[in-house]
Amino acid sequence: EAGVTQFPSHSVIEKGQTVTLRCDPISGHDNLYWYRRVMGKEIKFLLHFVKESKQDESGMPNNRFLAERTGGTYSTLKVQPAELEDSGVYFCASSQYSLAGSYNEQFFGPGTRLTVL
Amino acid sequence: QKEVEQNSGPLSVPEGAIASLNCTYSDRGSQSFFWYRQYSGKSPELIMFIYSNGDKEDGRFTAQLNKASQYVSLLIRDSQPSDSATYLCAVGGNDMRFGAGTRLTVKP
């Protein structure tokens, strides 16, 4: 079974440009999460989808970040316009549907390393 | 104060020894606790989760949780060089809060 995949693996862009990151979760996983790790810092939660709905986007840093999950399958995270502080590794994770109060393991993708010059 | 705190290390232990990794968290209402292992350049991989106070053992790994002290730890017995990685403590559920990780080196 294929794991969580992310594209691209690396992206180098200039400040002010737009970048779109893609995540393909494990087939059948309703939950999809985006995280970010800035150099030297901890992995930080950005948002959580259940199918195509945003369940929690409390971690999104500002309105330059837009996440979508049309059709409840793959997700994209767009940064527009990119700033220097957006550099880091963006991880996507997915998990199976979980009943309220329970938890299913989150499987992480390999991440996209974004460098903004 | 960070939500989840870990010693960044590096922690170095000889092969066969017990490695002890520690984590504290600030949200007293937290219910779920996780340990992830991350090899350099790879994605985090879940190795243990614990919900209740006490110990939970899985092979060479033991997770310990003390909610009163807001403390969770991971013990790795009979450490192997292949255990060398960064270990991430995470708290919560769908909106997990991670510590910065402890880098462990197991020397042959």
Side-chain angles (χ1 to χ4, degrees):
Chain A
E1 180 183 340
V4 177
T5 58
Q6 292 186 244
F7 181 84
S9 57
H10 294 84
S11 180
V12 181
I13 61 172
E14 293 188 350
K15 176 183 171 181
Q17 289 186 320
T18 297
V19 63
T20 301
L21 314 180
R22 173 171 170 144
C23 168
D24 285 78
I26 293 172
S27 178
H29 281 194
D30 287 340
N31 293 302
L32 187 148
Y33 311 83
W34 282 99
Y35 295 88
R36 176 174 74 171
R37 185 168 198 165
V38 173
M39 179 76 75
K41 302 279 190 179
E42 67 275 15
I43 295 173
K44 289 213 164 186
F45 167 81
L46 296 179
L47 86 160
H48 167 213
F49 282 100
V50 177
K51 296 186 179 179
E52 67 275 8
S53 300
K54 291 176 186 174
Q55 188 77 11
D56 180 355
E57 52 184 330
S58 61
M60 294 288 264
N62 51 61
N63 60 9
R64 295 186 294 104
F65 289 75
L66 175 64
E68 295 180 319
R69 193 184 182 194
T70 307
T73 54
Y74 71 91
S75 174
T76 58
L77 179 64
K78 180 190 287 188
V79 185
Q80 179 182 30
E83 298 289 345
L84 299 178
E85 64 264 25
D86 300 332
S87 296
V89 180
Y90 289 77
F91 289 104
C92 175
S94 72
S95 70
Q96 291 180 323
Y97 170 78
S98 52
L99 297 173
S102 69
Y103 177 80
N104 281 318
E105 177 182 353
Q106 294 187 25
F107 294 86
F108 280 74
T112 293
R113 182 174 295 277
L114 174 65
T115 302
V116 183
L117 303 176
Chain B
Q1 181 189 10
K2 290 184 179 178
E3 292 186 72
V4 181
E5 299 227 36
Q6 296 180 253
N7 283 329
S8 60
L11 173 66
S12 181
V13 300
E15 183 174 357
I18 294 175
S20 177
L21 305 161
N22 305 314
C23 172
T24 57
Y25 59 94
S26 60
D27 183 359
R28 187 169 287 278
S30 299
Q31 297 294 321
S32 308
F33 307 87
F34 309 87
W35 283 99
Y36 282 81
R37 176 176 63 200
Q38 187 176 23
Y39 293 111
S40 181
K42 302 294 185 181
S43 54
E45 171 193 15
L46 182 68
I47 53 173
M48 290 285 289
F49 65 88
I50 186 166
Y51 300 150
S52 305
N53 276 328
D55 295 359
K56 179 181 178 182
E57 187 174 318
D58 184 0
R60 296 186 295 112
F61 299 96
T62 299
Q64 299 174 316
L65 175 61
N66 183 325
K67 290 185 180 180
S69 300
Q70 295 174 239
Y71 174 91
V72 58
S73 66
L74 178 70
L75 300 178
I76 306 174
R77 290 181 299 281
D78 187 24
S79 295
Q80 301 297 310
S82 58
D83 295 326
S84 298
T86 295
Y87 289 80
L88 305 170
C89 173
V91 175
N94 286 314
D95 60 342
M96 277 199 295
R97 285 9 181 180
F98 282 84
T102 298
R103 189 153 52 93
L104 171 68
T105 300
V106 180
K107 296 188 174 179

